[in-house]
Amino acid sequence: MKDKIIIKSTDLFSNLGFKSVTMDDIANEMGISKKTIYQHFQNKTKLVEATAMHVFENISKGIDCICELNTNPINEIYEIKRFVMLNLKDEKSSPQYQLQKYYPKIYCSLKRKQFEKMIGCVTRNLERGVTQKLYRDSIEVDFIARLYFNGMISLKDQDIFPRDTYAMQNLMNNYIDYHLRGICSTKGLETLTELNTNL
């Protein structure tokens, strides 16, 4: 039952927002009593935390699977982007933004986990790209990895990129293109051009 509550809550929070969805809404949607939810979650904050970590774990596992394929590093970045967009495509309420506003402690904890996950993933990508001569050997891997993470987080900041003006798909595409053109070698740029032609 606990897993079912998390899955249904994730769906509701993603579409309607953390603020507007109540425990009553979740109970009604599931056809259970509110008391049943409270048997598994002490309060709404605990449920919000569980759903946020549920989404993070699912996306992390998917990214791990893509990285294990060991494809060329430029292609890997686009595959990860496609996977993430597929998983977040139904988010109509900008959960990350709402999390930051209404549940700052959960947001900070999630951001730390995202940082640890992404730094490892991006660092390995950069190192492989340099080894395969797709990225310039003069890049500072740790600096670029941190910059990339910070940029990705900024894309979700609605004060900088209001959702009614900037579609997330376009933001991600533009940011990845910007990132890769800054680090690619001549060989890498040829690969990037070829990839963009086939997209």
Side-chain angles (χ1 to χ4, degrees):
M1 180 53 77
K2 186 175 184 178
D3 289 343
K4 287 180 181 175
I5 294 168
I6 290 173
I7 290 164
K8 175 50 75 177
S9 302
T10 300
D11 181 47
L12 290 171
F13 289 146
S14 295
N15 288 301
L16 303 170
F18 292 113
K19 179 86 170 136
S20 58
V21 175
T22 64
M23 296 297 247
D24 282 316
D25 293 332
I26 297 163
N28 290 337
E29 277 286 322
M30 294 187 71
I32 59 174
S33 70
K34 200 159 62 167
K35 187 181 172 186
T36 304
I37 298 175
Y38 283 118
Q39 284 172 351
H40 298 281
F41 301 97
Q42 191 181 341
N43 50 45
K44 185 180 172 183
T45 302
K46 291 289 183 191
L47 180 55
V48 167
E49 185 176 27
T51 59
M53 294 309 158
H54 169 73
V55 171
F56 169 76
E57 292 298 337
N58 279 352
I59 290 176
S60 291
K61 282 175 192 164
I63 290 172
D64 285 342
C65 289
I66 293 167
C67 292
E68 281 165 18
L69 295 173
N70 228 17
T71 60
N72 99 53
I74 294 173
N75 196 50
E76 182 179 270
I77 287 178
Y78 280 100
E79 285 302 319
I80 289 172
K81 184 219 62 163
R82 264 194 288 272
F83 171 76
V84 171
M85 289 306 296
L86 200 64
N87 275 270
L88 303 181
K89 73 180 191 310
D90 293 327
E91 290 188 347
K92 299 176 180 70
S93 62
S94 302
Q96 192 113 352
Y97 181 73
Q98 286 206 0
L99 208 56
Q100 187 175 8
K101 191 173 179 182
Y102 302 113
Y103 299 92
K105 282 185 181 174
I106 298 171
Y107 172 79
C108 287
S109 172
L110 183 64
K111 190 177 171 184
R112 264 196 310 277
K113 284 179 176 290
Q114 287 173 332
F115 176 74
E116 287 161 11
K117 181 75 195 171
M118 207 162 157
I119 282 293
C121 180
V122 176
T123 298
R124 285 188 296 275
N125 179 280
L126 291 168
E127 287 169 348
R128 287 198 307 115
V130 170
T131 303
Q132 294 175 29
K133 302 195 183 310
L134 292 169
Y135 303 155
R136 290 180 288 108
D137 59 12
S138 60
I139 64 169
E140 289 192 31
V141 170
D142 184 62
F143 171 74
I144 299 290
R146 289 167 186 270
L147 203 62
Y148 187 73
F149 171 80
N150 202 48
M152 275 293 179
I153 291 292
S154 296
L155 296 183
K156 295 180 179 179
D157 188 333
Q158 291 204 49
D159 292 328
I160 302 172
F161 298 109
R163 201 58 74 245
D164 53 358
T165 310
Y166 297 94
M168 185 51 79
Q169 181 79 36
N170 292 341
L171 282 176
M172 291 275 273
N173 285 338
N174 289 336
Y175 182 63
I176 288 171
D177 192 63
Y178 172 80
H179 165 71
L180 287 170
R181 288 184 187 282
I183 62 172
C184 274
S185 61
T186 305
K187 180 185 173 185
L189 287 172
E190 287 168 6
T191 305
L192 181 61
T193 304
E194 193 181 314
L195 195 66
N196 283 333
T197 305
N198 296 326
L199 281 178

